[in-house]
Amino acid sequence: MRKVFFSFLLLFTALMTAGYAQQSPIKIDLWPDGLPNTNGHDLTQPYDMKGNYKPQLTVYLPDKAKATGQAILCIPGGGYSGVCYDTEGYNWVPYFLDHGIAVGVLIYRLPYGHSDVPGSDAMEAMRIMRHNAAKWGYSPDKLGVMGHSAGGHLAATVATHATGDARPNFQILLYPVITMDKSYTHMGTHDNLIGTDPAPDIATYYSLESQVRPGQSPAIIFIADDDKIVPTPNGVNYYLALNRAHVPASLHIWPSGDHGFSCHKTFKWHDEEMQELFSWLKSINK
């Protein structure tokens, strides 16, 4: 509880400093009429912020004078064993608001042996953000998805598998887990999502480098060459798959930074990361 309070206090202070305190966040229950599926915990135990997360979306809107028409669903990582909603979620809010981009931070349910559960939450969050675009002041055709680590896997799952109103217009992936190939996946993410010995078709379905098709959304990918947790071929092979499918993509490999650099100012390449990200977002905002 102290960690949650401290994270929100830091966010509030940052928003005050940036001049956005007047913008109250919009908090949304993803499934007010009941869950479409279950992970076995969400129906039997009280929700908490430790492992049985309530699926919810918190949306932050920029000052109208700055609004670019773009919006992003931000998906934190955590290896499908937790949700790093502060460091890979709320901490991004001031950056996007400062650039006139609306952002929704997603807290999603963990799989606990039900691999479809996180994806259903993420796709519903996309639908909610798209359906409310006019009311919230951005274009329904300029809505992207962003993910970190296992959240990057979830974001890429949305980018490769979602259809209709859940389909993103662009994707931003930071040090993502992409494959379920045991030779270079992150095994914790693999086992938490699909189990230790999944059926081949399930492993293929969630090996997203094999799910890229022409016409999918453009991507920007950030990884560090010295990542000791998620092997760099995850991001590289996803980029190559996008390239082969003629999907516009940009890959940035920083010399150092290991895993989890997110938007931390302690990241050696933080300034370059921000410049590249927001230049790319501006370039696709047509």
Side-chain angles (χ1 to χ4, degrees), residues 12-189:
F12 178 76
T13 301
L15 294 178
M16 286 283 287
T17 302
Y20 299 115
Q22 73 277 13
Q23 299 288 341
S24 298
I26 304 163
K27 297 183 181 295
I28 298 166
D29 180 353
L30 291 187
W31 306 108
D33 299 321
L35 298 171
N37 49 22
T38 179
N39 61 12
H41 288 61
D42 42 30
L43 298 180
T44 61
Q45 301 178 27
Y47 287 120
D48 57 40
M49 296 301 284
K50 298 178 181 178
N52 190 29
Y53 298 94
K54 182 178 183 179
Q56 56 188 327
L57 177 67
T58 306
V59 178
Y60 300 82
L61 304 178
D63 186 281
K64 290 182 180 180
K66 282 193 169 185
T68 65
Q70 290 177 308
I72 291 170
L73 175 67
C74 183
I75 305 179
Y80 289 125
S81 64
V83 179
C84 301
Y85 49 83
D86 46 7
T87 57
E88 296 176 343
Y90 300 121
N91 287 2
W92 273 101
V93 172
Y95 292 96
F96 287 119
L97 295 187
D98 188 52
H99 285 81
I101 300 170
V103 57
V105 177
L106 175 66
I107 295 180
Y108 52 94
R109 293 172 295 155
L110 302 177
Y112 291 116
H114 301 268
S115 57
D116 60 320
V117 166
S120 65
D121 288 353
M123 292 181 196
E124 181 65 9
M126 288 292 295
R127 294 185 193 100
I128 290 170
M129 289 193 70
R130 180 160 279 122
H131 292 171
N132 286 282
K135 180 170 68 174
W136 291 342
Y138 52 83
S139 170
D141 299 322
K142 296 180 179 182
L143 172 61
V145 65
M146 175 183 190
H148 311 67
S149 194
H153 183 271
L154 185 49
T157 298
V158 174
T160 53
H161 289 299
T163 58
D165 288 343
R167 183 182 181 276
N169 298 106
F170 57 88
Q171 50 185 315
I172 303 167
L173 306 179
L174 286 84
Y175 40 91
V177 179
I178 290 295
T179 194
M180 294 292 109
D181 183 332
K182 291 183 179 181
S183 68
Y184 70 103
T185 189
H186 175 253
M187 287 306 301
T189 297

Side-chain angles (χ1 to χ4, degrees), residues 70 142 169-171 218 248 279-286:
Q70 290 177 308
K142 296 180 179 182
N169 298 106
F170 57 88
Q171 50 185 315
S279 293
W280 182 81
L281 284 167
K282 185 177 181 179
S283 74
I284 65 170
N285 190 19
K286 300 174 181 178

Side-chain angles (χ1 to χ4, degrees), residues 176-178 184 221 223 230-240 251:
V177 179
I178 290 295
Y184 70 103
I221 305 164
I223 58 179
V230 175
T232 56
N234 279 263
V236 171
N237 286 345
Y238 190 64
Y239 165 78
L240 292 173
L251 174 64

